Amino acid sequence: MNHQEPDFNVERLGECRFPSPMRGVRFTTDGERILYHSRYQEMRPFIDSGREPPSMEMGGPRERIFFDPSTIACGIVTCGGLCPGTNDVIRALTLSLYHHYGVRRVYGFRYGFEGVVKRHGHSPLLLTPEVVDRIGELGGTILASSRGPQAPSEMVDYLEELGIAILFTIGGDGTLKGAAKIAEEAARRGRPISVIGIPKTIDNDVSFLQNTFGFETAVDEAHRAIYAAHTEATGARNGIGLVKLMGRDSGFIAAYSTLVNSQVNFCLVPEVPFTLAGFLKSLEERLALRGHAVIAVAEGAGQELLPAATESDASGNVKLGDIGTFLRDAINGHFRAIGTEITLKYIDPSYIIRSQPANSHDSAFCLLLGHNAVHAGMCGRTCMVVGNWNQQFTHVPIRLATHQRKKIDPKGRLWSSVLASTGQSREID
């Protein structure tokens, strides 16, 4: 795959023969596309050579659909870690299927992909408008979740038994890869089963998507922790507030939380290595100058300073060393050794953040993601994830979304803005 010219073609199950039951809406035509590049400098080579620039298929309802809604059942599954907004997406999917298309059998599979394997014995929950009415007010997921893969053959067996025509998979990188395997197995059998992904990760690390749901709420909640750290730091002589935030491979939560109100003096992310000596020297200088400091560190930052990881979790993710407690102990030890008294407060709000209900903007985003996922499934798209790009909803092939993690560019504008906000020296990088 040429990363400069990604292939955005989305798989289709076949011809759309049925008229949509939706009325009074703006239908999207298959010819409507969203440009991948937005800067003139990126577009110029295509203009000069007369080539079609890369573009994504636009989301939205179609006038004609692939499935007869009166004859099908649909399934919803949530996998991986908890994330604000998951219940909002479940609710949006259920209500859109029920009210927009008249689908009356919507199954919620319990405990992640385990629930899509019959022998595990997790009976699916029949989702109705009454069941999902108030779930958006709750954190977590009413379907519960789990990590780890299941055999695609067993999952497709159960989908066939239940008459599932569209499976909506809510999750991050691992979930989307699992969804692709389900779609591949269904295609191998010649079964017209649509598999649609909805991107769930507070780390905001899915490629070819500007945002994933839950990210904005995570930044909101992270800011509360940073505010507390700043209050503690300024309340003591040589006070230091240290906050560890989620972000295994991508430091977007730490970066955007840093930009909220300029209270962070050091932002440490996985994409930008730093030396312990350089960091401690800069921290000394900060305390000498201002008498307090606030540090935001993403969980995946500084892993090169810790013992090499040897274990993985059920999703195949390497178990990271704890950079938060490492820095806490290193900072305390360093200033003790040089005879400087400090007061350090360490805050790890990770599970508090991910268990919160979505904020208002995230809830609206979840609703639109859910609606666009239903529209995509009903018109026979498959092996794709609903995304957003340049303020428009899009269809992205799962193979592109999972090709690599989206990360902060250390030479890009976001990181430049973080450095301008914190004033931290590049010498620690």
Side-chain angles (χ1 to χ4, degrees):
M1 182 186 70
N2 185 339
H3 185 66
Q4 298 304 313
E5 298 185 44
D7 179 5
F8 288 108
N9 287 320
V10 173
E11 295 179 33
R12 305 186 187 192
L13 295 175
E15 180 186 355
C16 293
R17 299 182 294 109
F18 298 97
S20 171
M22 296 190 72
R23 296 290 180 267
V25 298
R26 181 193 181 281
F27 288 110
T28 302
T29 66
D30 288 347
E32 293 184 71
R33 312 281 298 184
I34 303 299
L35 287 173
Y36 171 54
H37 297 299
S38 58
R39 297 173 65 239
Y40 179 74
Q41 292 88 337
E42 296 170 325
M43 290 290 295
R44 185 61 188 265
F46 298 96
I47 296 171
D48 290 347
S49 63
R51 291 178 294 152
E52 283 285 326
S55 63
M56 304 177 181
E57 187 174 71
M58 181 182 282
R62 266 59 175 179
E63 282 192 276
R64 300 193 72 79
I65 57 180
F66 178 79
F67 293 105
D68 177 356
S70 66
T71 65
I72 66 171
C74 295
I76 302 172
V77 62
T78 60
C79 306
L82 299 184
C83 178
T86 306
N87 280 331
D88 296 82
V89 174
I90 295 169
R91 182 176 186 272
L93 291 169
T94 303
L95 295 182
S96 181
L97 288 166
Y98 194 95
H99 293 300
H100 292 158
Y101 291 97
V103 176
R104 291 297 182 264
R105 289 183 296 145
V106 182
Y107 296 104
F109 293 104
R110 303 172 191 263
Y111 303 108
F113 283 140
E114 279 188 20
V116 194
V117 176
K118 186 176 182 179
R119 63 180 172 82
H120 288 306
H122 305 313
S123 299
L125 177 66
L126 185 62
L127 298 174
T128 65
E130 292 73 27
V131 170
V132 303
D133 184 32
R134 303 291 294 272
I135 65 173
E137 301 169 16
L138 308 173
T141 163
I142 63 165
L143 300 178
S145 187
S146 70
R147 294 188 183 275
Q150 300 293 328
S153 59
E154 290 189 90
M155 290 191 282
V156 175
D157 284 345
Y158 200 25
L159 296 179
E160 289 183 323
E161 180 180 326
L162 293 173
I164 302 291
I166 309 173
L167 177 67
F168 299 98
T169 61
I170 305 173
D173 184 78
T175 305
L176 295 177
K177 289 177 179 177
K181 291 180 180 179
I182 295 172
E184 290 166 6
E185 175 64 17
R188 187 188 68 78
R189 299 184 185 190
R191 302 297 298 180
I193 298 176
S194 168
V195 182
I196 307 294
I198 299 98
K200 172 197 69 67
T201 165
I202 62 174
D203 289 352
N204 197 32
D205 60 356
V206 179
S207 293
F208 299 101
L209 277 66
Q210 285 185 328
N211 291 302
T212 55
F213 78 81
F215 171 67
E216 184 173 298
T217 303
V219 172
D220 260 3
E221 295 299 322
H223 166 243
R224 297 177 190 273
I226 288 171
Y227 176 83
H230 180 259
T231 300
E232 291 285 354
T234 55
R237 181 170 57 86
N238 289 334
I240 299 173
L242 172 61
V243 181
K244 187 181 83 170
L245 299 169
M246 285 188 167
R248 289 185 51 87
D249 302 292
S250 308
F252 289 106
I253 294 177
Y256 277 93
S257 300
T258 292
L259 298 177
V260 171
N261 59 10
S262 301
Q263 290 178 334
V264 176
N265 311 113
F266 298 93
C267 179
L268 308 176
V269 296
E271 296 91 335
V272 183
F274 65 95
T275 65
L276 184 60
F279 166 69
L280 292 173
K281 180 176 182 294
S282 295
L283 183 56
E284 276 188 56
E285 294 170 353
R286 165 71 192 183
L287 291 183
L289 179 66
R290 298 299 300 272
H292 73 278
V294 176
I295 306 156
V297 57
E299 62 181 318
Q303 291 300 303
E304 64 277 3
L305 305 177
L306 303 170
T310 58
E311 298 181 25
S312 299
D313 63 19
S315 297
N317 299 312
V318 173
K319 290 187 177 181
L320 301 177
D322 192 334
I323 187 62
T325 57
F326 172 82
L327 286 180
R328 178 198 65 193
D329 296 342
I331 292 168
N332 278 324
H334 173 75
F335 283 100
R336 189 183 306 115
I338 65 174
T340 299
E341 183 180 347
I342 64 169
T343 300
L344 187 150
K345 302 297 183 185
Y346 174 55
I347 301 173
D348 180 355
S350 300
Y351 293 106
I352 295 174
I353 288 174
R354 75 176 201 168
S355 64
Q356 296 299 307
N359 66 17
S360 297
H361 190 273
D362 245 341
S363 289
F365 184 48
C366 289
L367 178 126
L368 294 174
L369 280 174
H371 285 186
N372 279 278
V374 170
H375 300 323
M378 292 302 302
C379 68
R381 270 49 172 187
T382 190
C383 206
M384 56 147 279
V385 59
V386 176
N388 68 314
W389 198 258
N390 291 333
Q391 309 305 314
Q392 301 287 340
F393 286 90
T394 57
H395 298 166
V396 178
I398 289 178
R399 56 181 162 72
L400 279 186
T402 59
H403 174 65
Q404 61 185 13
R405 301 278 181 143
K406 183 175 71 176
K407 297 186 178 185
I408 295 172
D409 179 0
K411 297 181 180 179
R413 294 189 182 277
L414 173 58
W415 189 244
S416 178
S417 297
V418 169
L419 295 179
S421 174
T422 62
Q424 70 192 58
S425 170
R426 285 187 179 270
E427 292 178 4
I428 71 169
D429 298 346

